[in-house]
């Protein structure tokens, strides 16, 4: 599964996705450019956020060496999407023989175009809900660790449904809350 930059930010979503991957429940795929887009997106939080994100991207590279895919300019040059800035994501998905691209960006990854390459587009809410439905205990344990860490950092209570809704995972949050 190729993880688009938009699902690597916010932190809670990234930590859930990478926690589930670390548990062996799916294989993540990304490129340096995807990770760089995520790091740049954190600039809106403040100047120190990019430094922290760069460190976190380094940790992802170390923890998931098989996830890293090299740029595929020759593939990218033959592709068309509504937003040319997303061609690199599709090229990574094709070259890595991924099943899907996990993204919130439905408009720029039309299913008919992806289907031409044997790919699907997965919303992170449905993607995580599906993994949870097959491995409820393991996924719940991972999410609880992420929730507890978020609560500790914010010093505010973080009910699971509210936290999942905040990171655009309402269906997944409802399933977790039981």
């Amino acid at each position: 599964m190729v993880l688009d930059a938009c699902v690597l930010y916010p932190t809670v979503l990234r930590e859930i996705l990478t926690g589930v991957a670390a548990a062996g429940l799916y294989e993540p795929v990304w490129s340096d450019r995807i990770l760089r887009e995520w790091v740049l997106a954190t600039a809106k939080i403040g100047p120190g956020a990019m430094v922290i994100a760069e460190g976190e991207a380094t940790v992802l590279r170390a923890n998931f060496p098989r996830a890293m895919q090299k740029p595929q300019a020759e593939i990218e040059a033959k592709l068309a999407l509504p937003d040319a800035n997303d061609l690199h994501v599709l090229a990574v998905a094709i070259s890595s023989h991924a099943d899907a691209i996990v993204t919130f960006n439905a408009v720029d990854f039309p299913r008919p175009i992806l289907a031409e390459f044997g790919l699907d587009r997965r919303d992170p809410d449905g993607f995580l809900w599906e993994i949870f439905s097959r491995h409820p205990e393991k996924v719940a344990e991972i999410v609880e660790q992420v929730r507890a860490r978020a609560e500790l950092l914010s010093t505010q209570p973080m009910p699971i449904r509210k936290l999942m809704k905040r990171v655009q995972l309402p269906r997944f949050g409802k399933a977790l809350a039981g």
Side-chain angles (χ1 to χ4, degrees):
M1 296 288 168
V2 173
L3 301 182
D4 193 9
C6 65
V7 301
L8 295 174
Y9 179 79
T11 301
V12 167
L13 178 55
R14 181 181 62 259
E15 288 183 354
I16 292 169
L17 286 166
T18 57
V20 171
L25 304 179
Y26 81 99
E27 280 284 325
V29 176
W30 49 63
S31 65
D32 273 324
R33 184 168 171 187
I34 291 170
L35 293 180
R36 186 74 189 143
E37 285 181 2
W38 154 52
V39 168
L40 292 173
T42 66
K44 60 186 163 198
I45 299 173
M50 280 183 57
V51 173
I52 292 168
E54 286 171 356
E56 290 171 346
T58 299
V59 170
L60 287 181
R61 286 181 188 97
N63 289 346
F64 299 96
R66 291 179 23 180
M68 188 63 67
Q69 293 294 309
K70 293 182 179 166
Q72 300 295 326
E74 66 284 354
I75 294 173
E76 192 175 327
K78 299 174 187 175
L79 301 174
L81 284 173
D83 183 349
N85 290 323
D86 289 319
L87 292 173
H88 69 100
V89 178
L90 179 55
V92 164
I94 293 166
S95 68
S96 66
H97 307 286
D99 295 326
I101 298 170
V102 180
T103 185
F104 287 115
N105 190 356
V107 171
D108 291 331
F109 292 100
R111 283 201 164 98
I113 292 174
L114 297 181
E116 292 175 27
F117 303 100
L119 293 163
D120 191 14
R121 180 188 71 236
R122 300 296 310 272
D123 178 89
D125 192 29
F127 175 64
L128 287 168
W129 179 88
E130 183 180 310
I131 294 173
F132 174 73
S133 69
R134 286 182 274 149
H135 307 280
E137 295 85 14
K138 187 66 181 164
V139 174
E141 177 184 326
I142 292 162
V143 173
E144 176 51 28
Q145 291 170 1
V146 172
R147 188 208 61 76
R149 194 167 36 256
E151 189 171 88
L152 183 67
L153 291 172
S154 74
T155 68
Q156 299 292 320
M158 292 279 177
I160 196 69
R161 282 192 72 179
K162 183 177 180 182
L163 181 62
M164 293 303 102
K165 186 174 181 181
R166 194 174 88 201
V167 297
Q168 301 180 57
L169 302 173
R171 182 177 170 199
F172 180 56
K174 185 176 180 179
L176 284 164

